[in-house]
């Protein structure tokens, strides 16, 4: 008689949330490509100034007067003041990326704080903070930044503060919605019953459970900050020459566009590809951290 005994099926252990999120992220090819590009760009702007044979403000006086062509000594040519264009592009990338990243951090911290207070305490606190947020949203960002930059000569730290203060509203609304939902969950009620105060409930129990959407918002804020800084520098209200940024490199190259387009194309491509990569990365993180299935 046949043996009818059944062997227990081998059940794969459940994967952790982090492993599932990583698997979903790796399936998002544009996000992976964007992450690789940003890592490579970050490595270039970090080590590039140390390996370049030129300083960003060093001049070749034999080339002053008009942009120089691309040669083996100057891969992207020289500008009208005889400065190496590739070195200035790399150094400008360091400034633009640093301002974008720091501005995004400022906006994320500020938006998270405002959204957390509004969503947790509700009532008049929510009304006051959200009406203030709505007022800031009604003000066109670029004209306000131009006004502030015109009143104060923007150094990199001041530009970071201006950019960060003016792009936090989306993060605040997102965090508020997350806190309104999470504050009613059972684990928050249990912590409240055990005597946890408001600050502990917000930052120890609720905030870690909202970190996914905040991460996505912070990633997208980097692209917004880079675009805003580049626009300000292009219009002449950002960081001033001789310190290069991608925006003011575009501004100075616009005068020579018909005779030396190789000065304008690289910084424009860097801005485009960096912002595109950041947006792809944000999309991938959203799909990985907030799956729809």
């Amino acid at each position: 008689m046949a043996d009818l005994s059944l062997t227990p099926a081998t059940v794969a252990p459940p994967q952790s949330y982090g492993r599932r999120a990583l698997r979903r992220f790796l399936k998002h090819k544009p996000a992976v490509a964007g992450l690789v590009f940003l890592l490579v760009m970050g490595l270039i702007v970090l080590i590039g100034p140390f390996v370049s044979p030129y300083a960003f403000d060093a001049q070749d006086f034999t080339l002053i007067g008009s942009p120089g062509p691309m040669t083996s000594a100057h891969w992207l040519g020289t500008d009208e003041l005889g400065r190496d264009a590739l070195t200035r592009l790399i150094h400008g990338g360091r400034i633009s990326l640093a301002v974008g990243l720091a501005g995004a951090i400022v906006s994320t911290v500020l938006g998270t704080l405002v959204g957390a207070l509004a969503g947790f305490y509700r009532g008049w606190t929510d009304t006051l903070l959200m009406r203030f947020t709505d007022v800031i949203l009604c003000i066109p960002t670029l004209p306000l930044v131009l006004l502030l930059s015109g009143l104060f000569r923007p150094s990199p730290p001041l530009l970071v503060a201006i950019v960060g203060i003016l792009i936090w509203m989306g993060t605040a609304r997102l965090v508020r919605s997350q806190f309104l939902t999470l504050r009613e969950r059972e684990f928050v009620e249990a912590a409240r019953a055990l005597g946890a105060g408001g600050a502990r409930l917000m930052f120890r129990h609720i905030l870690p459970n909202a970190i996914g959407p905040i991460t996505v918002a912070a990633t997208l804020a980097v692209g917004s900050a880079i675009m805003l800084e580049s626009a300000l520098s292009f219009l002449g209200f950002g960081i001033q020459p001789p310190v290069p940024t991608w925006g003011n490199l575009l501004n100075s190259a616009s005068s020579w566009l018909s005779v030396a387009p190789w000065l304008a194309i690289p910084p424009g491509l860097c801005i485009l590809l960096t912002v595109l990569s950041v947006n792809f990365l944000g999309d991938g993180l959203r799909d990985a951290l907030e799956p729809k299935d």
Side-chain angles (χ1 to χ4, degrees), residues 25-37:
F25 178 80
L26 293 177
K27 289 181 179 179
H28 198 293
K29 301 304 180 186
V32 174
L35 177 60
V36 171
F37 176 84

Side-chain angles (χ1 to χ4, degrees), residues 38-55:
L38 291 174
L39 291 175
V40 172
M41 179 64 73
L43 184 63
I44 290 174
V45 300
L46 281 177
I47 69 174
F50 297 105
V51 300
S52 173
Y54 309 102

Side-chain angles (χ1 to χ4, degrees), residues 197-242:
R200 182 175 178 82
L201 288 173
M202 282 193 294
F203 300 110
R204 177 66 179 85
H205 297 281
I206 301 179
L207 185 61
N209 289 278
I211 202 65
I214 294 174
T215 301
V216 175
T219 304
L220 297 177
V222 174
S224 299
I226 292 175
M227 285 293 294
L228 190 55
E229 183 279 325
S230 299
L232 283 174
S233 297
F234 178 77
L235 295 173
F237 289 88
I239 297 173
Q240 301 297 310

